[in-house]
């Protein structure tokens, strides 16, 4: 492993939007937001390979990023604000006033740019200095924070930390892409479809889920605990991060094999010849995990978040700002996953769970708030395999005018039972899978992952 990188802080400043009256001064949280109230923040890191010296970085790149950020924030005012929980309010609100802004850290790092932005084994802890912390206290929490870090004449990184109760992956990607677009051309403005929709009335809550979720958090270390302090996972020392790839060739190979085997066995679901790349990839990861863990009794639990915008009735516009995610939970028989047709069985169960969302996307959601709050007591006790990110976000298209990212990492995805899924810069690759494990387990998992393609 390379030496631990040292960081030299150059500046911490607050970037505010130009004065505007285009949005409300506060927004209440919906039950979709409250599910994530004290969850650890999401952190994404973009590496840009761009030869630069001291002058070009400090006199050109940093001012350009700051000025374009200011112009972008006028379209995303909640990101300059803070989460607060007024004494008279049942739920927390996002509050933003004139003068609020996003804290931006400027730093220099002597770490190995190409090592950190590669796919190989990298220590999880080496990424921590490259992403900023949110300013959070018992009664106030910032929405977002940004860090720009220069590497020695190789390039720079942009780290973005978001409060998950304020923004989900779709909304945060919209913000990042708008910032990049304005950085390339300051006169550009988001199209009507890109412009954030803040109207909370599009989220219907007839059963008062928001109050139920808020009570779950107040009772967590309560009674009536309105703390906004975030709960962070206890990360094991020495965990390794690696990136695996689902190529178009391997994905097609798996799909053809699955369809061929399903056609030969009437016990399999043959209602559709279409199997999405997401279903195949996640089913494969479940099988690989079951093989890594060996002959354990019981079930393997798998969960992922699905965007509910197009599944709610009436539908919520795609440019809605905030969280609009529902949880999907599956319990898969381990002995079935380890069988010859394990991936087919997993595909069928995951496909069925996704189809069930169309029949009732909010079924069972009265329990989500309690379930999510309980997870934060000790993230490591959760035996559920889960996902972060989505290849649909297209994060490799985020070009600030310095070229597409050399690498994108979801730094906050750093528990051994969490896989991150994103698209790829490589046109031969369907998606990248971020994996975090101890070194021995990582080597074993990669061997299982690669062998599965070879054995079909």
């Amino acid at each position: 492993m390379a030496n631990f990188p040292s960081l030299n802080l150059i500046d911490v400043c607050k970037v505010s939007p130009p004065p505007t009256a285009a949005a409300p001064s506060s927004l209440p949280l919906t039950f979709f937001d409250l599910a994530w109230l004290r969850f650890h923040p999401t952190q994404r890191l973009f590496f840009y390979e761009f030869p630069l010296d001291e002058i070009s970085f400090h006199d050109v790149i940093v001012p350009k990023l700051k000025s374009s950020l200011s112009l972008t924030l006028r379209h995303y005012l909640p990101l300059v604000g803070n989460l607060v929980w007024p004494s008279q309010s049942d739920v927390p609100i996002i509050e933003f006033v004139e003068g609020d802004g996003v804290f931006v850290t400027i730093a220099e790092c002597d770490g190995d740019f190409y090592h950190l932005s590669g796919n190989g084994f990298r220590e999880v802890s080496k990424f921590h200095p490259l992403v900023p912390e949110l300013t959070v206290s018992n009664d106030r929490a910032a929405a977002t924070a940004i860090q720009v870090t220069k590497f020695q004449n190789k390039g720079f990184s942009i780290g973005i930390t978001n409060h998950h109760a304020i923004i989900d992956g779709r909304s945060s990607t919209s913000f990042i892409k708008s910032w990049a677009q304005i950085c390339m051309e300051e006169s550009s403005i988001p199209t009507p479809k890109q412009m954030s929709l803040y109207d909370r009335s599009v989220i219907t809550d007839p059963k008062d889920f928001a109050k139920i979720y808020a009570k779950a958090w107040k009772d967590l270390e309560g009674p009536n605990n309105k703390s906004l302090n975030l709960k962070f996972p206890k990360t094991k020392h020495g965990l390794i991060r690696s990136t695996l790839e689902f190529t178009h060739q391997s994905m097609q190979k798996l799909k053809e094999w699955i369809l061929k085997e399903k056609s030969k066995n009437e016990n399999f679901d043959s209602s559709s010849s279409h199997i999405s790349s997401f279903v195949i990839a996640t089913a494969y990861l479940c099988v690989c995990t079951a093989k890594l863990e060996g002959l354990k009794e019981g079930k393997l639990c798998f969960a992922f978040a699905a965007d509910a915008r197009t599944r709610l009735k009436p539908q919520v516009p795609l440019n809605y700002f905030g969280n609009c995610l529902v949880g999907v939970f599956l319990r898969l028989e381990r002995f079935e996953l380890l069988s010859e047709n394990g991936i087919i069985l997993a595909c069928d169960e995951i496909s069925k769970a996704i189809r069930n969302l169309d029949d009732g996307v909010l079924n069972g959601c009265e329990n989500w708030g309690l379930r999510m709050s309980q997870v934060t007591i000790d993230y490591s006790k959760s035996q559920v395999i889960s996902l972060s990110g989505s290849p649909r976000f297209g994060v490799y298209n985020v070009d600030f005018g310095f070229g597409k990212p050399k690498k994108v990492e979801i730094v906050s995805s750093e528990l051994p039972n969490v896989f991150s899924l994103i698209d790829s810069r490589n046109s031969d690759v369907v998606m990248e899978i971020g994996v975090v494990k101890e070194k021995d387990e990582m080597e074993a998992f990669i061997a299982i992952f690669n062998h599965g393609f070879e054995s079909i």
Side-chain angles (χ1 to χ4, degrees):
M1 293 292 174
N3 294 327
F4 197 90
S6 64
L7 197 76
N8 180 26
L9 287 179
I10 306 299
D11 186 28
V12 179
C13 60
K14 184 169 70 173
V15 175
S16 300
T20 180
S25 59
S26 67
L27 279 176
L29 295 193
T30 71
F31 66 94
F32 285 119
D33 302 315
L34 282 162
W36 306 94
L37 183 62
R38 298 181 65 192
F39 227 74
H40 66 81
T42 55
Q43 297 175 309
R44 284 196 275 193
L45 186 60
F46 296 75
F47 288 95
Y48 291 92
E49 185 178 20
F50 190 78
L52 43 83
D53 54 26
E54 294 288 325
I55 295 173
S56 64
F57 180 70
H58 294 290
D59 294 349
V60 179
I61 290 177
V62 169
K64 193 171 176 62
L65 288 171
K66 285 184 184 177
S67 64
S68 58
L69 175 61
S70 173
L71 293 173
T72 308
L73 288 171
R74 67 183 168 183
H75 306 295
Y76 293 88
L77 285 179
L79 293 184
V80 307
N82 291 276
L83 195 61
V84 296
W85 200 333
S87 57
Q88 72 280 10
S89 176
D90 290 326
V91 298
I93 64 170
I94 311 164
E95 182 181 75
F96 35 103
V97 298
E98 200 73 46
D100 278 347
V102 171
F103 281 103
V104 178
T105 301
I106 309 300
E108 293 181 344
C109 180
D110 65 358
D112 185 334
F113 177 84
Y114 294 108
H115 171 66
L116 291 169
S117 62
N119 284 352
F121 287 13
R122 295 146 293 151
E123 290 175 46
V124 159
S125 56
K126 289 184 178 178
F127 292 88
H128 294 168
L130 303 177
V131 287
E133 293 183 5
L134 287 181
T135 305
V136 176
S137 67
N138 197 57
D139 55 8
R140 182 168 291 262
T144 195
I146 293 170
Q147 180 172 323
V148 184
T149 307
K150 173 185 177 291
F151 290 82
Q152 299 169 330
N153 200 34
K154 306 296 184 189
F156 63 95
S157 64
I158 299 176
I160 302 178
T161 301
N162 289 314
H163 197 302
H164 207 327
I166 294 177
I167 193 168
D168 66 7
R170 180 181 286 278
S171 292
S172 64
T173 304
S174 170
F175 160 68
I176 295 163
K177 288 183 174 179
S178 293
W179 179 19
Q181 180 183 335
I182 290 172
C183 189
M184 282 205 284
E185 186 184 346
E186 289 203 344
S187 61
S188 65
I189 59 171
T191 65
K193 283 187 176 180
Q194 293 172 320
M195 201 72 74
S196 293
L197 175 72
Y198 300 116
D199 184 2
R200 294 309 204 216
S201 70
V202 300
I203 304 293
T204 56
D205 186 8
K207 296 185 179 178
D208 267 344
F209 290 138
K211 289 182 182 178
I212 295 171
Y213 291 14
K215 184 179 186 303
W217 288 109
K218 284 191 287 187
D219 291 347
L220 185 64
E221 293 162 337
N224 201 34
N225 175 24
K226 287 188 170 185
S227 172
L228 296 174
N229 276 321
L230 296 172
K231 310 278 282 182
F232 289 86
K234 300 177 182 72
T235 307
K236 274 187 183 178
H237 179 71
L239 287 176
I240 301 298
R241 181 183 300 281
S242 184
T243 303
L244 305 180
E245 295 178 335
F246 268 103
T247 65
H248 285 282
Q249 183 180 8
S250 57
M251 187 67 76
Q252 188 61 29
K253 190 176 180 182
L254 270 176
K255 183 176 181 179
E256 288 174 358
W257 182 83
I258 291 168
L259 292 174
K260 180 182 172 186
E261 293 301 309
K262 288 179 76 160
S263 67
K264 294 191 296 188
N265 192 327
E266 60 184 21
N267 293 323
F268 295 135
D269 177 11
S270 57
S271 59
S272 173
S273 60
H274 173 74
I275 311 173
S276 71
S277 296
F278 172 83
V279 167
I280 293 173
T282 52
Y284 191 73
L285 291 172
C286 288
V287 170
C288 290
T289 301
K291 288 180 177 178
L292 178 72
E293 294 175 350
L295 292 169
K296 290 171 68 174
E297 288 188 0
K299 299 178 186 289
L300 182 142
C301 298
F302 173 51
F304 60 92
D307 195 327
R309 286 169 174 82
T310 59
R311 294 182 167 101
L312 288 168
K313 295 173 183 175
Q315 290 190 3
V316 172
L318 293 178
N319 60 337
Y320 170 78
F321 179 95
N323 285 276
C324 198
L325 302 171
V326 293
V328 181
F329 300 90
L330 294 93
R331 294 166 64 83
L332 305 168
E333 290 287 355
R334 288 181 178 273
F335 76 88
E336 289 184 348
L337 291 174
L338 293 172
S339 70
E340 183 183 0
N341 295 317
I343 188 171
I344 303 175
L345 295 161
C347 278
D348 282 353
E349 289 299 311
I350 296 168
S351 295
K352 186 167 77 174
I354 293 172
R355 286 197 302 273
N356 286 344
L357 292 175
D358 297 329
D359 298 328
V361 70
L362 297 181
N363 287 345
C365 78
E366 60 273 8
N367 302 315
W368 295 346
L370 180 62
R371 188 179 291 184
M372 293 293 279
S373 63
Q374 292 294 319
V375 166
T376 65
I377 295 172
D378 187 349
Y379 294 90
S380 65
K381 285 187 177 178
S382 172
Q383 299 302 307
V384 180
I385 306 303
S386 62
L387 307 174
S388 65
S390 168
R392 289 186 174 184
F393 292 153
V395 292
Y396 276 96
N397 293 321
V398 178
D399 184 350
F400 288 86
F402 313 108
K404 291 185 178 183
K406 176 174 173 56
K407 189 69 188 297
V408 181
E409 291 283 358
I410 302 179
V411 175
S412 50
S413 175
E414 58 174 32
L415 290 171
N417 59 336
V418 180
F419 296 104
S420 63
L421 272 59
I422 59 175
D423 53 304
S424 177
R425 177 179 172 138
N426 185 345
S427 61
D428 293 332
V429 175
V430 180
M431 69 182 80
E432 295 179 352
I433 312 294
V435 186
V436 169
K437 297 195 179 296
E438 293 180 11
K439 187 171 182 289
D440 290 349
E441 277 203 334
M442 181 72 84
E443 290 172 341
F445 185 85
I446 291 173
I448 292 167
F449 184 88
N450 291 331
H451 177 70
F453 298 128
E454 295 162 6
S455 62
I456 291 174

